[in-house]
Amino acid sequence: KELMNSFKQYGFEELVSVKTRKKRMGEVEGETYNFISVEQFKALVDNNKMLQHNPVDDNYYGLPLSSYETISKKNKNAVIVVAPSGAKQIANYCLNHNINLYQIFINNAQELLLERFLNRFKNDSLANTQNYTKRLINMITKEQNEWVKPALNSEDYYDNITASSSPTEI
């Protein structure tokens, strides 16, 4: 939230992504997420209406083309936080459609990520221990090897790489 607020100060608008998971405590429909059914999500993908999409655990996450088009029609710059696989999908779309894109990889300290993760788990009334355990293992191993190392070693392309121990340092 703090990251988005800092971008909004400079006139950026946040792209609203879609998720098939249940809404968590404190989340507001339409502000940062729209919650849709798996069938609706798959229809968007099948009809090429998604800029990026990926499964996480038993749910689907993605960015519908309509979210980008809404902000583009206002002549505004858009911002979204996505995993590297989503960033690659968005970069390909922008390249194929002659859209300017600036990508920043934010390498948060593991302590900060774990703190956020544990707070989310204890405040999530729908928390599934099995999914959270799998997610924690991925955070510690897979994300370091598949996200952080390629970014820091310039194997993945980013316009900027930032290290942060707290969201307000960005």
Side-chain angles (χ1 to χ4, degrees):
K1 193 152 185 110
E2 293 89 357
L3 178 62
M4 283 304 153
N5 288 338
S6 63
F7 278 108
K8 288 177 183 178
Q9 291 176 343
Y10 297 101
F12 286 83
E13 287 198 30
E14 183 175 4
L15 295 170
V16 180
S17 59
V18 294
K19 316 232 178 267
T20 61
R21 68 166 170 75
K22 300 281 187 208
K23 187 171 26 169
R24 292 185 183 126
M25 183 174 68
E27 292 179 330
V28 179
E29 174 78 26
E31 279 190 21
T32 54
Y33 308 121
N34 284 313
F35 299 91
I36 63 175
S37 71
V38 171
E39 295 76 22
Q40 290 171 306
F41 192 98
K42 287 181 177 181
L44 288 170
V45 171
D46 291 344
N47 291 305
N48 295 317
K49 298 292 185 185
M50 296 292 279
L51 285 173
Q52 72 83 208
H53 56 88
N54 63 308
V56 177
D57 299 325
D58 299 326
N59 298 298
Y60 296 93
Y61 296 73
L63 177 63
L65 181 58
S66 61
S67 181
Y68 169 73
E69 289 171 339
T70 298
I71 292 175
S72 179
K73 287 177 186 172
K74 296 180 192 178
N75 249 356
K76 293 280 206 165
N77 289 315
V79 64
I80 188 166
V81 175
V82 295
S85 61
K88 288 175 187 174
Q89 291 175 47
I90 292 169
N92 286 335
Y93 180 88
C94 290
L95 181 65
N96 293 332
H97 292 86
N98 200 29
I99 298 170
N100 290 330
L101 174 69
Y102 190 87
Q103 292 188 29
I104 302 170
F105 180 85
I106 300 172
N107 185 24
N108 287 304
Q110 278 198 326
E111 294 82 7
L112 176 64
L113 296 173
L114 289 170
E115 180 182 320
R116 288 178 183 166
F117 175 85
L118 292 172
N119 282 332
R120 181 180 293 159
F121 178 74
K122 76 178 182 184
N123 293 314
D124 185 355
S125 62
L126 304 171
N128 174 313
T129 304
Q130 184 178 10
N131 284 347
Y132 269 83
T133 301
K134 188 177 1 173
R135 176 75 182 98
L136 180 58
I137 291 167
N138 280 341
M139 268 178 53
I140 294 169
T141 58
K142 181 180 176 186
E143 290 177 10
Q144 289 299 307
N145 291 325
E146 294 182 15
W147 296 5
V148 177
K149 286 180 184 176
L152 298 180
N153 294 332
S154 300
E155 295 165 25
D156 284 343
Y157 176 78
Y158 292 96
D159 297 292
N160 191 316
I161 297 173
T162 302
S164 173
S165 59
S166 78
T168 55
E169 290 182 15
I170 299 170

